[in-house]
Amino acid sequence: MLNFIDTVGEAVAGIKDGSTVMIGGFGNAGQPFELIDALLDCGATDLTVVNNNAGQGDQGLALLIKEGRVKKMICSFPRQSDSWHFDAKYRAGEIELELVPQGNLAERIRAAGAGIGGFFTPTGYGTMLAEGKETRILDGRGQVFETPIHADVALIKALTADGRGNLVYRKTARNFGPIMAAAAKHTIVQVSEIVPTGGLDPEIIVTPGIYVNSIVRVAAAAGETERVA
Amino acid sequence: MSIPTNDQASVRTGIQASETPLGRDDLARLVARDIQPGSFVNLGIGQPTLVSNYLEPEQNITLHTENGMLGMGPEAAGDQIDGDLINAGKIPVTELPGASYFHHADSFAIMRGGHLDICVLGAFQVSATGDLANWHTGAPDAIPAVGGAMDLATGAKDVFVMMTLLTRDGVSKLVEACSYPITGIGCVTRVYTDKAVFLTGPDGVQVRETFGCTLEELQAMVPVPLRAADPS
């Protein structure tokens, strides 16, 4: 069931304590800042968050971590020059980290959305990150069994939605959006623009609306409108 | 310095030598020259990114960035800067004509599926048989972060490493076996350093070029057996 929702607050209101939440974005590109701010305001806590990173600076996911709302991060690259809120929580033992090679993270998310129960991949074979995991030699290569990552909710950002929830993205802001949309039970999308059904060429749609549950329009930030157009 | 030209490279036999060690930019120029025309290439964060400055248009190289793009152009400046168009190092970049965007699972399928010809990575250590250590020092207080390093090391047809040969303390980073946690097993095919270019593989280490040292002097710095490269 697809809903068009007026505010980001209403869009995230159903997120419960203890949920697993996928958050799109690679660094700041594609990060749904307004939805994350709304999640911060709505008070949900004990969250497991899936994102490539663990927040940057003093915005978005970094604030969610700072406020102690994230009990576990599943990500590939938590440590950055400005990931101080994650760093502090991690060093204090107040946040759990599941570190996943980036391609395995993406494929585990994709597998969840595609109904795959797991897969063997050469990435990580023989490394610390494969310790304790099942391995096999396949096609002459050592491979590691990886399991899907499912989520209760995905928060993602796209450029444009049409009346059926079909989505297109913008440049490298696409990143994890399409696979997270498919992997979560409930996918909430913030877009810059909503066009009528039929307003997007079916040939260019990246995420079909079947994966989308809630859409909220967030006006492009000052200076962004011209750029987006 | 004297980097052999393409013509010289094509008739290269044994070891090429120059009189001085190579600087970072000279090394990047050398790597760029060694990339076959028409290749699809991923340049890692840091020193490998410098290679893009020396790729010639006639080489027709397509750059991949793991956050979902082929046909990446140079770093963006001024009005070109667009927060939605960044590279894996989260630096604003530009798109070239013919560029394409795709989601993260497709991007890593490009890598893991063996479609990339070359990736160029930095390293803490490389072993004689091409094991790579470049993601984690293993220090107890370090926060581990792996990003796409293991996927790149495992997926590209050729993995080139760029690094200084020695640590600040003068210890060789080309080692018998990596003491740092490894990124991938037997994945590195070439190691470009300030003092030499090494070819690594199951048969041990060959030296293709030296910069400011002889093979004997190089051997004194490196704790693995070296031999001159087979004529190519």
Side-chain angles (χ1 to χ4, degrees):
Chain A
M1 174 75 180
L2 176 66
N3 289 299
F4 289 86
I5 296 175
D6 290 335
T7 67
V8 287
E10 291 168 81
V12 303
I15 299 179
K16 297 182 174 65
D17 291 355
S19 296
T20 295
V21 181
M22 289 180 172
I23 299 181
F26 179 88
N28 290 337
Q31 195 173 154
F33 285 111
E34 287 79 2
L35 285 173
I36 301 169
D37 289 346
L39 180 57
L40 198 59
D41 291 342
C42 91
T45 191
D46 277 334
L47 302 173
T48 294
V49 172
V50 184
N51 181 264
N52 186 61
N53 304 100
Q56 290 176 269
D58 288 297
Q59 56 181 347
L61 175 54
L63 288 183
L64 210 55
I65 290 169
K66 177 191 177 191
E67 296 301 323
R69 310 279 279 282
V70 181
K71 71 174 179 198
K72 179 179 179 181
M73 273 306 311
I74 302 176
C75 69
S76 85
F77 206 78
R79 185 196 64 222
Q80 303 190 106
S81 59
D82 56 355
S83 61
W84 43 75
H85 293 308
F86 174 82
D87 297 0
K89 290 286 181 194
Y90 184 80
R91 291 190 196 287
E94 293 172 2
I95 194 165
E96 190 184 339
L97 171 65
E98 181 178 346
L99 189 72
V100 185
Q102 201 172 132
N104 287 1
L105 181 67
E107 193 62 15
R108 289 176 65 188
I109 294 167
R110 197 198 70 82
I116 302 293
F119 57 91
F120 283 93
T121 171
T123 302
Y125 181 81
T127 74
M128 264 170 58
L129 298 187
E131 284 171 10
K133 295 183 174 177
E134 183 185 350
T135 60
R136 281 193 200 172
I137 306 294
L138 296 166
D139 294 331
R141 300 189 82 180
Q143 309 218 18
V144 185
F145 186 68
E146 294 286 354
T147 55
I149 301 173
H150 296 273
D152 299 298
V153 180
L155 305 180
I156 65 171
K157 180 180 175 183
L159 177 63
T160 306
D162 71 7
R164 295 296 177 109
N166 297 311
L167 304 177
V168 295
Y169 300 81
R170 189 166 178 279
K171 301 185 186 286
T172 58
R174 180 183 307 189
N175 55 67
F176 286 91
I179 53 176
M180 288 181 169
K185 289 179 203 150
H186 187 90
T187 294
I188 304 169
V189 188
Q190 68 172 68
V191 297
S192 303
E193 181 187 30
I194 298 170
V195 299
T197 300
L200 289 176
D201 178 354
E203 293 285 5
I204 66 155
I205 287 164
V206 176
T207 295
I210 192 169
Y211 297 128
V212 175
N213 301 98
S214 299
I215 292 176
V216 56
R217 196 179 79 84
V218 173
E224 200 176 30
T225 311
E226 188 182 1
R227 195 192 72 201
V228 168
Chain B
M1 66 151 286
S2 64
I3 291 175
T5 65
N6 280 320
D7 283 349
Q8 287 170 311
S10 64
V11 296
R12 178 188 300 132
T13 57
I15 300 184
Q16 299 282 313
S18 76
E19 292 177 358
T20 55
L22 293 195
R24 287 162 59 92
D25 284 280
D26 291 337
L27 200 59
R29 189 179 289 122
L30 181 63
V31 174
R33 188 211 63 190
D34 280 355
I35 295 174
Q36 290 297 310
S39 295
F40 292 88
V41 177
N42 184 298
L43 300 175
I45 297 168
Q47 194 180 0
T49 304
L50 290 176
V51 172
S52 64
N53 296 341
Y54 299 101
L55 293 170
E56 300 294 340
E58 54 271 25
Q59 283 178 282
N60 195 24
I61 305 299
T62 305
L63 293 180
H64 171 260
T65 182
E66 54 262 43
N67 53 317
M69 180 186 195
L70 278 164
M72 180 174 65
E75 188 172 336
D79 291 347
Q80 294 175 319
I81 292 174
D82 178 340
D84 286 345
L85 180 46
I86 60 175
N87 67 12
K90 306 185 175 78
I91 306 291
V93 292
T94 51
E95 69 183 24
L96 295 177
S100 54
Y101 297 107
F102 30 82
H103 64 62
H104 243 82
D106 279 350
S107 189
F108 281 82
I110 285 172
M111 207 179 280
R112 193 189 311 105
H115 307 282
L116 277 184
D117 296 298
I118 295 169
C119 80
V120 185
L121 297 171
F124 298 141
Q125 290 176 325
V126 177
S127 83
T129 53
D131 294 352
L132 172 67
N134 77 345
W135 74 281
H136 189 23
T137 61
D141 63 337
I143 297 175
V146 65
M150 289 185 180
D151 309 273
L152 279 164
T154 309
K157 292 176 195 164
D158 270 307
V159 176
F160 294 176
V161 160
M162 292 174 78
M163 65 181 190
T164 57
L165 179 59
L166 305 178
T167 66
R168 283 178 200 161
D169 300 330
V171 178
S172 175
K173 298 184 194 173
L174 184 62
V175 294
E176 194 64 50
C178 295
S179 58
Y180 289 128
I182 64 164
T183 310
I185 298 173
C187 53
V188 177
T189 49
R190 287 189 205 175
V191 185
Y192 290 83
T193 75
D194 51 331
K195 294 186 169 50
V197 177
F198 303 92
L199 310 180
T200 50
D203 300 330
V205 183
Q206 302 179 39
V207 178
R208 196 189 76 178
E209 290 168 66
T210 59
F211 312 119
C213 58
T214 64
L215 181 58
E216 291 68 31
E217 289 164 342
L218 193 63
Q219 182 66 81
M221 296 179 226
V222 174
V224 299
L226 303 176
R227 62 189 169 90
D230 299 328
S232 57

